[in-house]
Amino acid sequence: MDTLERQTSIRRTFAIISHPDAGKTTLTEKLLLLGGAIQLAGQVKGRRVRRHTHSDWMRLERERGISVTTSVMQFPYRDCLFNLLDTPGHEDFSEDTYRTLSAVDSALMVIDAAKGVEERTLKLMEVARRRQTPIITFINKLDRDSLDPLALLDDIERKLGLVTVPLTWPVGRGREFRGLYDLRGDQFSVYEVENPERAGIERQIEGWASVEGQAFLGSGSRAFGEERELVRALAPSWELTDYREGLVTPVFFGSALSGFGVRQLLDAFCDFAPSPRPQPAGGRSVQPHEPALTGFVFKIQANLDPQHHDRMAFVRLCSGRYRPGMRWFQVRTGREFKISDARTFFANTRNPSEEAVAGDILGLPNHGTIRIGDVFTEGERLSFAGVPDFAPEWFRRIVLEDPLRSKTLARGLGELAEEGAAQFFRPLEGQDWIVGAIGPLQFDVVAARLEDEYQVRCRFESLPIVTARWVAGEGGTLAVFKNQLAPYLAYDHLEGLVYLAPNRVHLDLTQERHPGIRLESTRERISA
Ligand code: G4P
């Protein structure tokens, strides 16, 4: 195996999917701790601070923010190198959250054992499933009162249509939580709360039938034995290929707060999760160990320095090797860039990168020359499918305070849309601008940035729109559609035709009455 192939094969690039409060931040902390990237738990504070107030989030963002440094974290574990991508989960839930899932090879789904599958998890899983992303599940907070583990598995299967294969099983729960049983290895890990900082160092007991095993279970031995038989009878056998195809999820239990069960999880990532996967690109598939570099931009973080309109573009490398000073070809514009200051993100620092390979994420500082969906190569004209726009769920009409600034507004909105900060629509009828967002915090961001960067002051008014669909159709059918539905139609910033649905019934009826028209909830950005 040559070194590029080896280096690529040790990468594990993943994101965490969860509902707010399920324990993503706590778990992230413990993953970094086990990887040796931080020394003490309690250092991953950024998102927790941010979640409490909008103003903190904005201020932090401006002060060269937390969200940049916590967007990507690289850490080693065993002989693997992990790239963990943040999926903001609270008020700042936005398209970035969805797009991040286009840059990972697998995902970790965290579920609160007291709540089961929650709404945000469902939404994120919808996006992950579309790409057949392999999912590993962690059922968290076993140290608290929780639902019956079998009921939790059933919940996942019913709500997500994903077959579950438990690989560990809890011994008791809540106050009675005693530890975990490794269903394949026939081994117990004993839950001890005394030293939560020593995540991953757990006392082991071999064999459930052994004298030690039986002594550990004590009076609960018989009940556990029956449960064990039941689980073994019900669970399908573990097949790596089913997981890799996104059909089956291995399930682990634990308590992120005390770092318990986290080691098993990381081991599973090393053993099962895919290394960088080949990326479909037009007529061919780009292999991760191809020598020539390729990558695509899935996120842009703006406002690092408002004075300079500074931006950081996040590039997911798909093949080749980055070295400082090399020349990159931007497929969309045909321009060449000399890249000497790309950044990597190790735990919570940003450093100039000396080298990066497929699976790694590089940050490219730039002044607005790079867009979401841009593809970089060493000269090949390549187009990766896969950094989509998602139908917004929040809509506001923009009211400009000074009507003379409408041209600047249009320019600002266009640039913000290219960057993916929010989406903008120009209705076929009337002169309004409509902003569309995935999460409501995006409106605050848009208003603040229009004022700071374009000196345009505006406010927002609510609108009776529930969702948007990109319209696809041919000739006469499309003309009829446009004619009949004009009051509900708009153009997005790339001149794509969009139907803005006033309610779900209208959406269903419209689809029913116009079978020749496709109403799509995502739109792929093709960069080439
Ligand atoms: P998030 O990033 O997914 O939103 O969740 P976060 O890690 O912030 O956890 C949400 C709350 O759940 C936190 O409590 C956290 O301490 C708690 N928690 C996470 N994992 C576990 C666990 O395994 N067991 C128990 N018992 N609690 C857990 P909080 O009170 O909201 O915050 P804090 O005061 O602890 O910071």
Side-chain angles (χ1 to χ4, degrees), residues 21 23-26 48 90 140-141 143-144 255-257:
D21 283 336
K24 180 174 65 129
T25 312
T26 313
R48 218 172 277 181
H90 293 273
N140 189 29
K141 305 195 190 181
D143 58 306
R144 283 208 192 149
S255 156
L257 194 60

Side-chain angles (χ1 to χ4, degrees), residues 99-160:
R99 286 207 190 96
T100 298
L101 295 174
S102 63
V104 298
D105 300 301
S106 69
L108 169 60
M109 174 165 73
V110 180
I111 287 177
D112 184 332
K115 302 200 171 131
V117 176
E118 296 174 86
E119 166 252 334
R120 195 63 62 81
T121 309
L122 267 167
K123 273 178 150 182
L124 287 165
M125 278 297 295
E126 216 177 278
V127 179
R129 296 297 300 280
R130 211 175 287 166
R131 308 177 61 83
Q132 278 128 30
T133 309
I135 311 281
I136 292 181
T137 300
F138 184 70
I139 299 188
N140 189 29
K141 305 195 190 181
L142 259 291
D143 58 306
R144 283 208 192 149
D145 284 342
S146 33
L147 302 172
D148 173 55
L150 280 170
L152 283 162
L153 299 189
D154 188 50
D155 194 47
I156 296 173
E157 302 213 343
R158 266 186 311 108
K159 291 198 182 132
L160 301 174

Side-chain angles (χ1 to χ4, degrees), residues 265-477:
L265 195 60
L266 269 179
D267 284 336
F269 266 94
C270 283
D271 296 337
F272 310 144
S275 54
R277 301 199 284 181
Q279 299 279 339
R284 75 185 194 92
S285 163
V286 174
Q287 301 301 313
H289 49 267
E290 284 179 22
L293 178 139
T294 63
F296 64 87
V297 177
F298 65 95
K299 173 183 167 96
I300 297 218
Q301 185 87 29
N303 240 350
L304 298 179
D305 180 351
Q307 304 301 318
H308 297 101
H309 278 229
D310 212 4
R311 289 171 163 83
M312 181 79 86
F314 289 79
V315 183
R316 146 89 202 213
L317 295 190
C318 302
S319 66
R321 189 195 303 274
Y322 164 78
R323 292 216 199 269
M326 70 192 292
R327 304 191 78 79
W328 283 14
F329 176 70
Q330 185 179 33
V331 176
R332 174 174 55 85
T333 60
R335 281 181 55 194
E336 275 210 352
F337 286 71
K338 183 172 175 200
I339 310 283
S340 39
D341 55 355
R343 310 289 159 82
T344 39
F345 307 86
F346 187 78
N348 48 4
T349 57
R350 271 190 277 162
N351 295 317
S353 173
E354 293 304 321
E355 188 178 272
V357 302
D360 290 341
I361 310 297
L362 286 176
L364 293 187
N366 70 97
H367 297 289
T369 42
I370 300 178
R371 290 184 191 170
I372 286 186
D374 266 354
V375 172
F376 287 101
T377 67
E378 289 189 47
E380 185 178 354
R381 293 206 155 269
L382 203 67
S383 144
F384 289 116
V387 186
D389 283 315
F390 294 90
E393 287 159 30
W394 299 73
F395 297 85
R396 299 276 187 276
R397 175 189 295 119
I398 302 187
V399 182
L400 196 56
E401 308 248 313
D402 174 1
L404 293 175
R405 311 270 310 144
S406 68
K407 261 194 170 165
T408 319
L409 174 72
R411 180 166 64 83
L413 293 180
E415 288 177 14
L416 291 180
E418 267 168 22
E419 201 182 89
Q423 294 180 42
F424 302 94
F425 306 103
R426 185 112 217 175
L428 261 51
E429 297 180 352
Q431 294 301 312
D432 287 335
W433 276 102
I434 295 173
V435 188
I438 300 286
L441 184 62
Q442 282 177 268
F443 297 119
D444 295 358
V445 174
V446 168
R449 293 194 51 194
L450 283 173
E451 187 166 349
D452 278 12
E453 297 168 37
Y454 301 93
Q455 290 75 51
V456 173
R457 284 168 61 88
C458 59
R459 54 193 172 78
F460 297 106
E461 284 178 354
S462 47
L463 279 170
I465 301 174
V466 295
T467 190
R469 292 289 181 268
W470 281 278
V471 177
E474 315 301 331
T477 322

Side-chain angles (χ1 to χ4, degrees), residues 5 36 46 204 212 229 259 456 484 516:
E5 200 162 342
Q204 308 289 328
E212 295 81 3
E229 284 315 309
V456 173
Q484 289 185 358

